[in-house]
Amino acid sequence: MRREADISGKLDWVSVLLYIIMITLGWFNIFASVYDETANQSIFDLSLNSGRQLMFMAASLIIILAIIIIDMRFYETFAYLFYGVILFALFLVPIIGKEVGGNKAWIGIGSFGGQPSEFAKFITALAVAKYIGSVGFKMDNLRNQVILFGLIGVPMMLILLQKDTGTALVFSSFILVFYREGMSPFLLILGICAAAIFILTLLIPNQLFLHGAIAAILILLIAIGKKRFRRIGVLIIGALLISGVIESVDYVITDVLKPHQQNRIKALINPDADPLGYGWNVTQSKIAIGSGGFAGKGFLKGTQTKFDFVPEQSTDFIFCTIGEEHGWFGSLIVIGLFVTLLFRVLFLAERQKNRFARSYGYAVACIFFFHFAVNIGMTIGLFPVIGIPLPFFSYGGSSLWGFTILLFILLKLDAHRGQVLQRI
Amino acid sequence: MNEGRKEIVQLVILLTGIVFLVKLFFVQVLDNRYAELADGNVILRQVEYPFRGLIYDRNHKLIVYNTPEYDLQIVIKDLKNFDSTRFCTVFEISREELRKRFKDMKSRKEYSPFKPTVFMSQLSNIDFAKVQDYLDEFPGFYVQARTTRAYSAPALANALGYVSEISKESLARDSSGIYKQGDYVGQSGIEAFYERQLRGKRGVRFKLRNVKGIEKGSFKEGEYDTLSVPGQNLITGIDIDLQQYGEFLMKGKAGSIVAIEPASGEILSLVSGPSYDPGLLTGRNYSSNFKLISNDSLKPLFNRPLMAQYRPGSIFKIAQAMTALQEKVITPDTRIRCDRSIINCHGDHTNEDLRGAIANSCNPYFHTVLRRMLNKGVVNDPFGDTRVGLEEWNKHITSFGFGNKMGIDLPNEKEGLIPTPAYYDRAYKSTAWKFSNIYSLAIGEGENLVVPIQMANFAATIANRGYYYTPHLVKAIGEDGKPLPQYTERHYTTIDSSYFIVAVDAMQKVVEEGTGQYRAKLADVIVCGKTGTVQNAPPLFDHSVFIAFAPRDNPKIAISVYVEDAGQGARAAASIASLMIEKYLFGGTKRPHIEQYVLNNKFE
């Protein structure tokens, strides 16, 4: 117990301070996004999202205390057990879950609901970190690689079954962790190429044109390079693969994706085609942010993001409120806070003495980064609308608690980094 | 082999942040297109105010209805090339007033140049028609239509109450979230009591506006719009003709008239004098008129039928008689000598029975009756004995509805006062009081206080021979509706119903040969009544009181009249009561000299 008593001195107070600033700013903006000037509301009103968020924040405090009190070895020891439990919970969701906003992701107990997928993030991070940190693990071993991708692939598939594409995609951010721990950059580049082809396919509606272009490049490559049988074979197979991807993109778009997801991707390419239809969110979000100017319209003075009939206004589109009411300067502060936090988390990760803690730190950074990049990217029209929250800013209990746990387990591990044996 | 990868990850993060900030800088600072789009792409939230429920009288004559009025709103940001001289001409206001309105508007807490703010409120239909055609000369001004109350007759003001904008304090107290700033809410009377039924439900329309400020249609095809739901209509038991006649008779007097249908408890008329024209408290002149009315020294806002607490006077002798019969301290045939040594009397009667004592309003008779009731000798000492007696007496008297709020469907009703032993303990600061201290109760003087609605209910109780329905104004909520459930319940007194025939006989005798015979007797119907003359501090005249019901069998109307400072009950009050009965039963009076007598206001 003596060891636990002085933990406050070892806790990384820079991260804690950033955390407090972010959730407080988030709370004010949630109020701004639901504020109705004619209704005489209070930020503490429990019928408003802001009042409930305050309760979630108070609950976070209890979670933080629990994380700090629990022995640090607990997290690594039981990582696989948690992983098993959360897989089971995710498996149950499509069966007993209730539908909220087009996604079946909630498990309800009475009037309280929780989203297991939010908690799957930190649990998967722990499991992945434990596996990477295990004795004899080698990143270039194919068997290890397969298990690693399996670890993130299974929860991803289960969440996809809940039709929650956004959260499922978050798990792809683990590839960055693998990269840091020694995986070949080839996979990373392959992924980026696939995404580029995907978007190209959408941009150019006539696929024959694309196939023609690929054939032309293929002939060009064969013509200018050495005419060795093996090289030509690889090039032809590569070209066929790319053509296959193009065909499958079309198939995925029209047959696999739900209409509302198709619309979101189409809106990315041409949001002006139907500004009142599926492009509505992106258009309104850009108008709101764009009308903020340099200094913004002022707290509670926004005109574009009021009336809470667009349910995402305090959750996924919270950045609109920031952009509209606090302008470019406010955006600078929020983005600055995120970049600072991410750098701090990377710094903490790098100073860990064992591989488990370091990998976990990287996983935390990657998950935060993915949410940050995709959420803000979608509100300013750089990414398709993928419904994932902005950490610490978006309204919601499960997501706030998920991110809080994610961060504070790292801070707990960091506080005890001197006590662990080096195991690289 | 992993060296440099940390830096690559850091670079990715930093680059993402920079890309976002650069993109945002283009969107927010360099590109004005979005700001313009925002100006022209505001979702306009238009509130559709519901129609407040209408109020009818018992014969389905409309009493209260809605009439349109218009709020002129302004969005400062949309104001373009504002020609103030032209505006002043069109709206017929001075430059100073225009400047003041702008100043007032901007000083409001909720003011924002991006949002519609009320600039001129409550333009009437006529005002609006004058400016309607010129509105497009003033971009930035919008009109919000709503309705205000209107009245088919300038009567019943205090019972109807009035409607006005919800106050900041009430809004802060409202936890239901139903009310928003600028909403109208019933502030008194029926409008306040039946606010829930009358208010209806607000509707909302979301509209899109383009750059030129022209509406582009509804937002998302009206997916988020809600229609307003009108409030429920109320059918009252009021006879509006009778009500107006009552108010006509009360001109120049202070007091009240309450008429009830005994068989149902429905209030036929509820006159408070002096009153005001309810139309004064609507529309643009509400505030200035309200100030005038509330500062009036005659207190027209004071709803006397419910709020004035008076000593009942001699009408109370009937309640004493009933109580005494129930307690068996007298029989209807008990004769008591009119001994005027302790308490004075009037007329030349000497030794009456109960009916005769009521008809002649014999004070010594009821002094003795009350003494027999309070001092039955159950306890040996006179203090304790009175205590026990008063306890029993109080139980009987309050069963008539005295001493407590009746529960009428109007706010601010008063209780009156029927003393209990505990009351006298407090008043005398000891338990050492006995009958000789409190005998004024016997004749309705002393500490007793009753409210006019309770007096009318008392008359109705006797008319019903022993029970009453709580008096109420609204007999149906919605067409073919029901009254509130508490108004369909019979309340019995603690008096055996067989004793009430004595009261009925005696009250008939009052009108036919007793104190009320000159002005309350009617040729075509048997009226039962009782006079009361309540002492007042000289040089003011006594208060004039009369309760009555008619016809004697199957009574159709029970009434109480209380006229302040008007002398004997047999004069002003008895005249008004009989005129009201005549008006209700026969449509008008055959005795113009009595009507003239009342209108002349000379009762000495």
Side-chain angles (χ1 to χ4, degrees):
Chain A
M1 282 315 287
R2 192 196 58 79
R3 204 170 59 220
E4 311 296 343
D6 60 346
I7 186 164
S8 63
K10 292 179 182 167
L11 211 58
D12 182 52
W13 286 100
V14 176
S15 307
V16 174
L17 192 67
L18 285 169
Y19 170 80
I20 292 170
I21 293 172
M22 285 164 103
I23 59 169
T24 311
L25 291 181
W27 181 51
F28 279 118
N29 279 297
I30 287 165
F31 179 56
S33 73
V34 297
Y35 179 74
D36 179 353
E37 52 153 359
T38 60
N40 191 37
Q41 296 154 326
S42 152
I43 191 166
F44 301 104
D45 189 339
L46 284 183
S47 67
L48 293 182
N49 283 356
S50 59
R52 288 191 294 264
Q53 182 76 358
L54 190 64
M55 275 173 36
F56 300 148
M57 285 157 69
S60 299
L61 199 69
I62 297 165
I63 292 172
I64 291 169
L65 285 175
I67 290 171
I68 289 173
I69 288 165
I70 292 169
D71 191 285
M72 62 157 293
R73 281 170 297 245
F74 173 80
Y75 304 106
E76 186 174 2
T77 311
F78 292 105
Y80 291 155
L81 180 69
F82 291 151
Y83 187 74
V85 170
I86 199 75
L87 286 190
F88 184 66
L90 287 173
F91 177 72
L92 282 183
V93 167
I95 303 163
I96 61 164
K98 54 181 176 184
E99 203 155 315
V100 174
N103 298 330
K104 204 172 189 183
W106 284 65
I107 286 185
I109 303 153
S111 59
F112 294 96
Q115 284 171 281
S117 55
E118 290 295 339
F119 301 103
K121 290 174 199 165
F122 85 86
I123 289 171
T124 308
L126 283 173
V128 164
K130 178 165 178 169
Y131 187 66
I132 292 177
S134 60
V135 183
F137 174 85
K138 280 200 175 64
M139 197 47 114
D140 47 6
N141 179 314
L142 185 66
R143 189 174 163 274
N144 285 351
Q145 278 182 3
V146 168
I147 291 175
L148 214 44
F149 275 96
L151 277 177
I152 61 169
V154 175
M156 209 167 159
M157 291 314 293
L158 287 172
I159 293 169
L160 269 178
L161 282 180
Q162 303 166 9
K163 298 165 192 140
D164 186 358
T165 324
T167 309
L169 284 176
V170 172
F171 288 80
S172 64
S173 64
F174 280 101
I175 294 173
L176 218 55
V177 183
F178 305 163
Y179 169 71
R180 167 63 185 85
E181 291 299 325
M183 193 186 66
S184 155
F186 178 68
L187 272 171
L188 210 61
I189 292 165
L190 200 73
I192 292 166
C193 284
I197 292 168
F198 187 85
I199 295 191
L200 267 178
T201 315
L202 291 169
L203 280 174
I204 299 161
N206 191 344
Q207 283 140 33
L208 274 179
F209 196 74
L210 266 179
H211 292 310
I214 288 159
I217 293 167
L218 175 68
I219 292 161
L220 200 70
L221 283 173
I222 294 169
I224 59 168
K226 289 175 189 162
K227 307 219 171 19
R228 275 168 57 189
F229 182 72
R230 194 176 158 198
R231 185 171 168 273
I232 293 170
V234 168
L235 281 173
I236 289 173
I237 289 169
L240 285 175
L241 273 174
I242 293 170
S243 287
V245 169
I246 291 165
E247 282 301 317
S248 60
V249 165
D250 192 50
Y251 169 76
V252 167
I253 296 268
T254 49
D255 295 308
V256 176
L257 289 181
K258 305 254 145 199
H260 75 271
Q261 288 168 330
Q262 289 176 23
N263 288 342
R264 285 171 179 182
I265 292 170
K266 285 181 193 158
L268 173 72
I269 291 147
N270 187 8
D272 300 326
D274 181 10
L276 293 185
Y278 56 73
W280 171 259
N281 278 1
V282 182
T283 314
Q284 288 307 309
S285 148
K286 272 162 93 174
I287 291 172
I289 294 172
S291 66
F294 181 79
K297 294 174 185 168
F299 183 52
L300 304 182
K301 292 275 165 63
T303 54
Q304 303 294 304
T305 50
K306 295 292 173 264
F307 315 129
D308 48 357
F309 49 65
V310 177
E312 295 92 2
Q313 234 144 42
S314 57
T315 55
D316 296 347
F317 280 88
I318 189 72
F319 191 73
C320 296
T321 309
I322 298 166
E324 187 189 10
E325 295 194 345
H326 306 289
W328 188 78
F329 188 71
S331 310
L332 173 73
I333 298 220
V334 170
I335 290 171
L337 280 168
F338 270 103
V339 171
T340 313
L341 180 73
L342 288 168
F343 270 66
R344 188 71 193 174
V345 168
L346 287 182
F347 168 77
L348 295 181
E350 287 292 344
R351 79 177 179 190
Q352 300 309 307
K353 299 225 167 62
N354 68 354
R355 218 171 165 186
F356 163 72
R358 190 180 67 205
S359 307
Y360 179 75
Y362 261 84
V364 172
C366 290
I367 291 169
F368 281 160
F369 173 66
F370 189 89
H371 275 273
F372 158 71
V374 171
N375 180 285
I376 296 183
M378 86 178 173
T379 55
I380 60 180
L382 291 174
F383 284 119
V385 176
I386 295 170
I388 57 171
L390 186 61
F392 310 130
F393 281 84
S394 290
Y395 164 77
S398 296
S399 83
L400 176 63
W401 298 330
F403 292 124
T404 302
I405 295 169
L406 210 51
L407 179 65
F408 277 85
I409 289 179
L410 177 66
L411 297 187
K412 171 73 178 177
L413 295 176
D414 177 63
H416 298 286
R417 66 185 181 277
Q419 299 159 20
V420 289
L421 291 170
Q422 200 150 348
R423 185 166 18 109
I424 298 288
Chain B
M1 109 186 220
N2 293 341
E3 288 318 303
R5 292 196 168 187
K6 172 189 151 197
E7 283 74 19
I8 288 176
V9 173
Q10 286 179 343
L11 199 68
V12 169
I13 293 170
L14 203 59
L15 274 178
T16 309
I18 289 169
V19 166
F20 283 171
L21 285 173
V22 169
K23 167 87 179 176
L24 282 166
F25 194 74
F26 275 103
V27 171
Q28 296 187 294
V29 183
L30 297 181
D31 195 343
N32 285 328
R33 209 160 45 99
Y34 290 106
E36 278 167 21
L37 269 175
D39 289 348
N41 202 357
V42 173
I43 306 166
L44 207 62
R45 180 197 166 116
Q46 282 200 330
V47 177
E48 288 219 317
Y49 290 101
F51 281 100
R52 216 173 152 78
L54 307 177
I55 303 176
Y56 292 92
D57 94 333
R58 64 188 299 108
N59 302 314
H60 285 259
K61 281 190 193 164
L62 198 54
I63 305 179
V64 185
Y65 57 99
N66 301 306
T67 180
E69 63 170 19
Y70 303 86
D71 284 351
L72 187 65
Q73 299 183 326
I74 184 172
V75 178
I76 291 285
K77 273 216 74 197
D78 297 349
L79 216 54
K80 287 187 193 88
N81 309 321
F82 180 61
D83 183 347
S84 57
T85 316
R86 176 92 181 117
F87 187 89
C88 289
T89 324
V90 170
F91 284 84
E92 294 171 351
I93 56 171
S94 66
R95 295 196 76 86
E96 287 74 51
E97 200 185 336
L98 182 72
R99 218 167 292 138
K100 192 173 160 291
R101 279 180 186 278
F102 271 109
K103 231 180 90 192
D104 287 354
M105 189 179 67
K106 286 183 180 167
S107 63
R108 269 180 243 159
K109 199 182 118 247
E110 68 278 4
Y111 168 76
S112 156
F114 299 96
K115 288 168 190 155
T117 320
V118 174
F119 185 72
M120 270 176 148
S121 64
Q122 299 173 311
L123 295 171
S124 73
N125 228 346
I126 300 157
D127 292 340
F128 178 65
K130 268 192 267 178
V131 300
Q132 193 176 15
D133 295 338
Y134 306 106
L135 267 179
D136 54 355
E137 291 179 30
F138 308 106
F141 284 91
Y142 305 91
V143 166
Q144 168 89 61
R146 67 199 304 172
T147 61
T148 186
R149 288 306 227 186
Y151 304 88
S152 58
L156 203 62
N158 275 307
L160 294 172
Y162 59 94
V163 172
S164 74
E165 198 174 315
I166 188 164
S167 67
K168 287 248 153 60
E169 297 79 46
S170 325
L171 199 58
R173 256 184 281 119
D174 168 44
S175 54
S176 62
I178 288 166
Y179 295 100
K180 301 217 169 183
Q181 197 177 354
D183 273 359
Y184 282 8
V185 63
Q187 301 285 11
S188 70
I190 292 180
E191 299 276 16
F193 193 91
Y194 289 97
E195 168 68 16
R196 246 161 58 89
Q197 288 82 2
L198 286 169
R199 70 182 165 213
K201 244 178 100 181
R202 193 193 303 103
V204 175
R205 269 172 204 273
F206 293 99
K207 290 184 174 166
L208 290 171
R209 259 195 306 120
N210 72 0
V211 187
K212 294 185 186 75
I214 295 161
E215 277 167 20
K216 280 203 301 190
S218 55
F219 165 67
K220 286 206 171 177
E221 274 114 44
E223 197 184 314
Y224 298 100
D225 295 1
T226 48
L227 287 175
S228 61
V229 180
Q232 285 176 290
N233 295 343
L234 300 179
I235 320 296
T236 64
I238 292 286
D239 182 323
I240 193 69
D241 295 334
L242 184 67
Q243 175 72 26
Q244 278 184 280
Y245 186 58
E247 294 192 14
F248 169 68
L249 294 178
M250 282 302 282
K251 265 212 181 92
K253 308 171 187 68
S256 81
I257 306 173
V258 182
I260 296 175
E261 181 180 69
S264 63
E266 289 163 15
I267 295 172
L268 301 168
S269 76
L270 195 67
V271 179
S272 181
S275 187
Y276 62 93
D277 177 355
L280 291 174
L281 295 186
T282 60
R284 270 176 90 179
N285 300 321
Y286 163 78
S287 343
S288 54
N289 284 340
F290 186 81
K291 208 175 282 171
L292 271 174
I293 292 171
S294 58
N295 289 340
D296 191 324
S297 61
L298 295 170
K299 293 204 167 82
L301 285 174
F302 183 61
N303 194 10
R304 285 179 167 76
L306 308 187
M307 295 165 75
Q309 305 186 90
Y310 300 111
R311 276 171 285 119
S314 298
I315 62 163
F316 211 57
K317 287 171 184 160
I318 299 170
Q320 305 285 23
M322 295 293 100
T323 307
L325 288 172
Q326 181 69 25
E327 288 292 314
K328 299 194 164 49
V329 295
I330 55 167
T331 69
D333 303 320
T334 305
R335 286 181 185 273
I336 295 169
R337 198 170 61 83
C338 183
D339 172 6
R340 305 185 179 186
S341 60
I342 302 174
I343 193 161
N344 202 5
C345 202
H346 34 74
D348 50 9
H349 58 279
T350 50
N351 192 25
E352 295 287 342
D353 67 0
L354 181 55
R355 289 179 176 88
I358 292 173
N360 292 299
S361 205
C362 177
N363 290 339
Y365 189 99
F366 285 97
H367 174 263
T368 307
V369 164
L370 187 68
R371 196 187 60 228
R372 288 188 192 174
M373 260 189 294
L374 298 192
N375 292 341
K376 277 187 263 176
V378 278
V379 181
N380 239 342
D381 81 292
F383 302 108
D385 200 31
T386 309
R387 210 175 172 79
V388 173
L390 188 71
E391 197 85 64
E392 275 167 354
W393 175 84
N394 181 284
K395 184 189 76 190
H396 292 304
I397 297 292
T398 52
S399 79
F400 284 92
F402 290 121
N404 292 303
K405 286 183 185 176
M406 298 233 66
I408 179 183
D409 47 356
L410 286 179
N412 303 322
E413 192 190 346
K414 288 280 185 289
E415 297 86 349
L417 173 71
I418 301 300
T420 57
Y423 172 84
Y424 284 119
D425 289 347
R426 275 196 306 278
Y428 289 100
K429 295 193 177 69
S430 85
T431 53
W433 45 269
K434 53 184 197 290
F435 175 72
S436 57
N437 300 106
I438 63 173
Y439 67 81
S440 320
L441 293 182
I443 57 167
E445 299 282 351
E447 292 78 13
N448 283 314
L449 288 176
V450 302
V451 181
I453 186 95
Q454 294 173 347
M455 301 187 216
N457 184 62
F458 180 51
T461 309
I462 301 162
N464 286 337
R465 280 62 165 171
Y467 67 86
Y468 66 91
Y469 292 98
T470 304
H472 54 280
L473 285 160
V474 172
K475 63 183 222 168
I477 297 167
E479 311 290 336
D480 313 314
K482 289 193 169 92
L484 293 175
Q486 65 265 36
Y487 299 129
T488 54
E489 192 187 327
R490 267 188 198 190
H491 302 278
Y492 283 90
T493 64
T494 52
I495 313 296
D496 201 289
S497 66
S498 61
Y499 293 126
F500 278 89
I501 193 65
V502 183
V504 172
D505 287 346
M507 284 171 76
Q508 182 180 352
K509 208 170 154 127
V510 168
V511 173
E512 285 176 358
E513 55 201 67
T515 52
Q517 57 184 305
Y518 305 109
R519 297 186 185 89
K521 201 193 291 184
L522 294 177
D524 303 322
V525 67
I526 299 174
V527 176
C528 301
K530 178 73 191 86
T531 54
T533 306
V534 179
Q535 293 165 12
N536 202 358
L540 291 171
F541 289 119
D542 291 344
H543 301 311
S544 175
V545 192
F546 197 74
I547 61 168
F549 62 87
R552 177 193 149 107
D553 298 311
N554 291 320
K556 293 279 175 276
I557 178 171
I559 191 166
S560 80
V561 179
Y562 207 111
V563 187
E564 293 175 18
D565 316 327
Q568 289 178 15
R571 293 177 180 167
S575 307
I576 291 172
S578 65
L579 287 168
M580 289 291 281
I581 291 170
E582 243 184 326
K583 171 81 179 170
Y584 183 65
L585 295 180
F586 309 114
T589 182
K590 288 181 186 160
R591 305 171 299 153
H593 61 286
I594 297 286
E595 191 179 278
Q596 203 50 52
Y597 171 74
V598 167
L599 294 175
N600 281 344
N601 281 341
K602 290 199 179 73
F603 302 111
E604 59 272 28

